[in-house]
Amino acid sequence: DTAVSQTPKYLVTQMGNDKSIKCEQNLGHDTMYWYKQDSKKFLKIMFSYNNKELIINETVPNRFSPKSPDKAHLNLHINSLELGDSAVYFCASSQDRGTDFTGNTIYFGEGSWLTVV
Amino acid sequence: RKEVEQDPGPFNVPEGATVAFNCTYSNSASQSFFWYRQDCRKEPKLLMSVYSSGNEDGRFTAQLNRASQYISLLIRDSKLSDSATYLCVVIVYSSASKIIFGSGTRLSIRP
């Protein structure tokens, strides 16, 4: 009964391919996120959704498109993958309202290791 | 200058030692502070919040120094299981609040 689950855990794909990472949370949280952690271990927010509505969209190439069919799911689709997209992608959720972070705990999924070759 | 900076380490200390590391932040609008722990090839998990007056949770003590804009984490009687990367997290409140993660300090406890 994992709180935030994401699939796949490992993904190796060729440049130019399109891939998706799925995420689901069973915590009843209204806010979900996608974070990217690169080889230097910087954890950067990419997107934040509150109740299926996009709240935060950091400077991310538009090849990355999040989709939230309902508040428990936030999937990430990546078009035309590039070598620089290789990273660990973490899905997360919290009780925060997206733009009103009060410091509630952020619960992360186990991460999806994406390698673009 | 990065908004949140941490010494990347690694800090390599013997079991039982006391170790401390700091995290500096540049935005004075920063209002909430946390320490997260990330084990190798795992996801980050909340270790503890950092309160203005300082707070303790077992062997872990967190402190906030608003004047100098840094937070610290002290680990006493370190255990092998404390080996991990410790991420400093700052929430900045302005027109829209923002969560910023530091790049982490790696700690390795040796027997």
Side-chain angles (χ1 to χ4, degrees):
Chain A
D1 55 345
T2 308
V4 181
S5 57
Q6 52 184 111
T7 56
K9 183 157 184 177
Y10 299 102
L11 184 55
V12 181
T13 188
Q14 289 189 323
M15 267 194 322
N17 283 352
D18 302 339
K19 290 293 175 188
S20 293
I21 308 172
K22 294 185 177 181
C23 179
E24 176 182 3
Q25 54 97 2
N26 62 5
L27 296 165
H29 290 162
D30 286 341
T31 300
M32 295 185 71
Y33 314 82
W34 276 106
Y35 281 86
K36 178 180 179 180
Q37 189 169 41
D38 60 24
S39 56
K40 293 183 180 172
K41 304 300 181 189
F42 282 104
L43 195 63
K44 288 185 182 170
I45 191 166
M46 300 172 69
F47 303 101
S48 170
Y49 269 71
N50 180 260
N51 248 323
K52 303 193 299 176
E53 187 185 332
L54 180 65
I55 299 297
I56 293 174
N57 182 349
E58 291 294 318
T59 309
V60 176
N62 56 15
R63 298 182 294 104
F64 290 78
S65 51
K67 284 199 172 40
S68 182
D70 55 62
K71 75 173 196 176
H73 294 83
L74 180 62
N75 303 323
L76 183 66
H77 189 75
I78 316 171
N79 287 329
S80 303
L81 279 156
E82 299 176 358
L83 294 177
D85 296 333
S86 297
V88 185
Y89 292 85
F90 286 102
C91 177
S93 74
S94 75
Q95 286 281 34
D96 290 307
R97 286 180 51 80
T99 55
D100 184 21
F101 298 118
T102 56
N104 287 303
T105 303
I106 302 171
Y107 293 86
F108 288 87
E110 293 184 333
S112 294
W113 269 254
L114 173 64
T115 302
V116 182
V117 296
Chain B
R1 186 185 167 186
K2 293 197 192 82
E3 290 183 280
V4 176
E5 288 200 72
Q6 295 184 248
D7 183 338
F11 284 62
N12 192 322
V13 302
E15 204 173 359
T18 295
V19 60
F21 27 85
N22 289 344
C23 164
T24 58
Y25 59 93
S26 59
N27 193 326
S28 57
S30 303
Q31 291 295 334
S32 299
F33 308 89
F34 307 87
W35 284 103
Y36 275 68
R37 171 193 167 131
Q38 186 173 21
D39 291 308
C40 187
R41 300 186 67 80
K42 297 283 189 183
E43 72 274 22
K45 290 183 181 176
L46 178 67
L47 177 67
M48 59 196 301
S49 304
V50 185
Y51 301 126
S52 296
S53 53
N55 48 298
E56 201 173 292
D57 183 0
R59 299 180 292 108
F60 298 82
T61 301
Q63 298 263 343
L64 166 63
N65 185 318
R66 284 195 187 275
S68 301
Q69 295 190 184
Y70 73 85
I71 64 171
S72 63
L73 180 67
L74 177 87
I75 306 175
R76 285 182 302 278
D77 187 25
S78 51
K79 313 284 183 200
L80 294 176
S81 57
D82 294 334
S83 296
T85 296
Y86 291 85
L87 304 168
C88 164
V89 179
V90 173
I91 298 182
V92 179
Y93 295 107
S94 53
S95 54
S97 53
K98 193 162 66 162
I99 302 175
I100 305 168
F101 280 78
S103 57
T105 296
R106 218 169 90 219
L107 175 65
S108 179
I109 308 297
R110 63 179 189 271

